[in-house]
Amino acid sequence: MKLVVFFSCLIVLFNVINCGLYNSRSDVINIDQNNFGKMVLASDHVWLMEFYAPWCGHCKNLAPTYEQVATNLKGIVKVGAINCDEESNKQLCGMFGIQGFPTLKLFPSERTENPYQKGAPWKKPIDYQQARSAPALANFALSHLPNYVITGSNVDTTLNNENDLNKVILFSSKDKVTNLYKSLAIDFRGRLDFVQTNDKKTELVEKYSIDSYPTLCVVDSQGELLGVYDGKLKHDLIETFLNQYSASVRQDIPNQKPAEPEPTPEPEEPESPEIESQEDLDRLCINKSGTCGIAVLDTTSPEHETYLETLQTLAVDYFKQFRFMWIDAAKHPNFLQQLEIDSGFPQFIVLNPSKKVAGQLLGSFTNKKISEFLGKVKKGSRRAVYYIDDIPTLD
């Protein structure tokens, strides 16, 4: 009996060790070698994907944040994860060049030519290299959400298009298309047409007796009213309502292109992005007022992720006092030479372009040491900062 219990415990322990970070109750969708092609590459949805290993400490630290992102974006952007420690997934992870964990990539809605198998669906992934906070991750994913909703002067053209598709009309008091409505247009692409209009379209308002906003209704190809939605503005509820009016077979729409993307919303939490070009440096530091803190890092260091986490913590702690960013030391030696930065990384420097002032931390790259240094910078200590003749450039 004891032997049976012992082996039962071993089996349970083995399963726990080999299971992934996200269980079946999670809003994070577990993706593997078998379903990746159909669910990710062949779909119109935007996918935010984490490549991870369950033993990875940084992956475990990211998991609660990633769960929050998945819950917040549920029904709008697909949030998935691939366990690269699973033997069956290693070929898939290798195909995308995964070398460290966690690695975050976004697979957009648009498909491209498959470099491995002609005719098979494919999406060109976009690397995520920003702050690993819930607002930053969500804003990044939403910024890639395509807009297939017809607005403005094209509304009449779409409603008068006598194709076989029923039309979904959203009467709204706002001109901006919400992410929820964009996602529904993606879900039913080729099975329903989506338009959005406002109270200025008096002919349509009177025709369908619209007396409140927002109002969502469905009309047929002849303009006859089929139904009006009267439930809560939740994705799953609206999806159930629209299913009864959608075409059972998707129509091909080869010439339909998404509207121009809207500007990326300002994140609710400060970021600490990488500076990769002169344009980045100008936008994030040179053309801004105040002082920026720049971490100079060696991306090959095993502590690279730890240094990025330290930088992000500082960005939150010193929000609206300093702007934080980082550069890859190996890629920008000219920048380092102009500031006469010592060899050996990581290094932390401050730069105030308008005052032509710079400074370098002489100490370890820790939250405590950098905070002490920033305290001296705020006081204008001559031991912390010095004047420079020219503003450094990356080029």
Side-chain angles (χ1 to χ4, degrees):
M1 181 65 182
K2 291 182 179 180
L3 189 62
V4 172
V5 173
F6 172 74
F7 280 109
S8 297
C9 291
L10 281 181
I11 292 171
V12 171
L13 180 61
F14 179 84
N15 289 333
V16 170
I17 291 173
N18 284 276
C19 70
L21 293 178
Y22 308 101
N23 60 38
S24 58
R25 298 186 300 275
S26 171
D27 289 324
V28 177
I29 304 169
N30 283 298
I31 298 296
D32 57 33
Q33 177 82 31
N34 296 324
N35 61 16
F36 181 80
K38 181 179 180 180
M39 293 189 68
V40 180
L41 299 181
S43 83
D44 288 327
H45 293 104
V46 174
W47 278 84
L48 181 63
M49 192 69 63
E50 177 192 7
F51 295 82
Y52 76 94
W55 46 260
C56 162
H58 293 302
C59 301
K60 293 177 183 178
N61 292 337
L62 178 64
T65 298
Y66 203 60
E67 292 264 17
Q68 180 185 346
V69 173
T71 300
N72 292 344
L73 297 182
K74 189 175 183 179
I76 299 176
V77 170
K78 303 288 187 181
V79 178
I82 298 173
N83 182 355
C84 294
D85 206 40
E86 287 282 348
E87 191 64 35
S88 59
N89 293 335
K90 288 184 177 180
Q91 181 180 357
L92 177 62
C93 296
M95 184 168 64
F96 291 104
I98 307 303
Q99 297 179 338
F101 306 115
T103 293
L104 295 163
K105 292 179 181 287
L106 182 135
F107 292 83
S109 175
E110 300 78 15
R111 287 184 285 278
T112 58
E113 184 178 351
N114 192 319
Y116 301 100
Q117 183 181 351
K118 187 175 181 181
W122 184 258
K123 294 180 178 181
K124 185 177 181 180
I126 301 169
D127 292 336
Y128 180 81
Q129 296 179 331
Q130 300 176 28
R132 291 179 178 176
S133 64
L137 282 161
N139 286 332
F140 175 79
L142 292 172
S143 70
H144 290 86
L145 195 66
N147 181 13
Y148 292 109
V149 178
I150 306 301
T151 59
S153 59
N154 295 319
V155 168
D156 290 334
T157 303
T158 300
L159 293 179
N160 293 327
N161 180 10
E162 296 184 2
N163 58 20
D164 295 333
L165 297 182
N166 293 328
K167 325 292 181 186
V168 182
I169 309 175
L170 176 63
F171 292 88
S172 174
S173 59
K174 301 177 181 179
D175 294 328
K176 183 178 179 180
V177 179
T178 65
N179 292 320
L180 172 60
Y181 202 45
K182 289 179 187 178
S183 68
L184 290 165
I186 295 172
D187 291 338
F188 290 94
R189 190 179 178 208
R191 296 189 293 140
L192 287 169
D193 285 334
F194 283 73
V195 304
Q196 177 172 318
T197 188
N198 52 36
D199 57 356
K200 296 178 182 178
K201 281 280 186 180
T202 54
E203 182 180 347
L204 288 177
V205 171
E206 293 173 0
K207 180 177 181 179
Y208 298 114
S209 303
I210 305 301
D211 56 10
S212 64
Y213 302 90
T215 294
L216 184 77
C217 62
V218 182
V219 303
D220 64 17
S221 58
Q222 305 299 317
E224 294 297 319
L225 183 65
L226 298 177
V228 179
Y229 179 72
D230 59 0
K232 295 181 179 180
L233 295 178
K234 292 188 175 182
H235 184 277
D236 56 342
L237 299 178
I238 300 176
E239 182 180 28
T240 300
F241 168 77
L242 295 178
N243 266 325
Q244 59 189 317
Y245 303 108
S246 66
S248 57
V249 179
R250 169 175 167 157
Q251 293 185 2
D252 290 330
I253 314 176
N255 295 322
Q256 185 184 16
K257 295 182 179 180
E260 289 297 319
E262 299 170 359
T264 304
E266 287 294 323
E268 300 173 13
E269 183 177 303
E271 298 179 4
S272 49
E274 179 184 5
I275 302 173
E276 300 185 84
S277 65
Q278 183 63 42
E279 181 182 352
D280 289 342
L281 183 62
D282 290 342
R283 176 173 53 86
L284 297 169
C285 182
I286 304 300
N287 296 334
K288 298 273 190 178
S289 60
T291 303
C292 17
I294 305 175
V296 184
L297 304 178
D298 175 6
T299 57
T300 65
S301 168
E303 300 297 319
H304 180 62
E305 293 296 333
T306 301
Y307 297 142
L308 288 180
E309 290 177 4
T310 298
L311 192 66
Q312 178 57 24
T313 299
L314 291 163
V316 174
D317 292 344
Y318 288 91
F319 185 42
K320 296 185 178 180
Q321 299 179 59
F322 298 91
R323 291 182 308 282
F324 292 83
M325 55 211 72
W326 67 278
I327 66 170
D328 184 343
K331 292 181 180 178
H332 306 291
N334 184 50
F335 180 82
L336 309 184
Q337 290 175 5
Q338 293 173 69
L339 288 174
E340 299 181 353
I341 294 177
D342 298 334
S343 60
F345 305 103
Q347 297 281 353
F348 183 80
I349 63 173
V350 292
L351 179 64
N352 187 315
S354 60
K355 295 183 178 180
K356 284 193 172 183
V357 167
Q360 180 180 354
L361 168 68
L362 301 176
S364 57
F365 195 96
T366 63
N367 191 303
K368 180 180 179 181
K369 290 295 183 181
I370 296 176
S371 295
E372 292 174 355
F373 173 65
L374 292 176
K376 296 176 182 178
V377 171
K378 287 197 294 183
K379 294 178 181 178
S381 170
R382 289 294 183 90
R383 293 184 178 183
V385 296
Y386 53 87
Y387 289 100
I388 55 176
D389 295 328
D390 300 303
I391 304 301
T393 62
L394 292 188
D395 301 332

